[in-house]
Amino acid sequence: DPLLANLKPGVATVLYFTTPMCAPCKTQQTPALERLKAQLGEAVQIVRVDATEQPDAAQRWGVLSVPTTFVLDGRGTTLAVNNGVAEANKLLQQIGVG
C-alpha cells in the first residue's frame, strides 16, 4: 500500500485515519497518539491520514468512520483495528509493549 511505502522496516506502526471535522480525533485520539509516541519514541511510527484528502486510501483500508487506527507490526501486518478512540494504553497492548 502506498501509505506504507516510506516506513522504517521492523518498527511498529499506527495508521491513523482522521478528518478535519472529527472532534474526538482532536480531543482524544491525537493526544493519545502523542502520549504513545512520547513513551515509545523511535519504537513506533505514526502515519496520519486525512480521509477527506485521501478517500481512496480510506476505501482501500475499509475505513467507515473516524477515528480509525490500524496497529501494524514491523512487517506491516495488521495486529489490531480500532474503530473509534483507542487510548494510549490499549495501543501499547496491541503493539505488544503494554
Side-chain angles (χ1 to χ4, degrees):
D1 191 280
L3 294 176
L4 309 179
N6 296 323
L7 296 179
K8 290 178 270 180
V11 179
T13 301
V14 177
L15 194 55
Y16 169 38
F17 284 87
T18 184
T19 64
M21 300 305 293
C22 173
C25 298
K26 292 177 188 163
T27 61
Q28 294 172 281
Q29 192 61 71
T30 297
L33 290 168
E34 288 168 354
R35 287 192 296 277
L36 181 72
K37 186 68 177 170
Q39 198 164 348
L40 294 181
E42 296 299 310
V44 68
Q45 27 197 359
I46 297 170
V47 177
R48 183 183 181 282
V49 182
D50 183 333
T52 60
E53 291 179 2
Q54 298 187 55
D56 56 328
Q59 186 174 13
R60 278 197 316 275
W61 285 81
V63 173
L64 301 175
S65 63
V66 291
T68 296
T69 51
F70 292 83
V71 178
L72 312 175
D73 68 12
R75 295 181 309 281
T77 303
T78 302
L79 300 174
V81 180
N82 301 293
N83 296 301
V85 174
E87 292 299 327
N89 289 342
K90 181 177 185 178
L91 294 166
L92 276 171
Q93 290 174 345
Q94 293 172 336
I95 289 170
V97 178

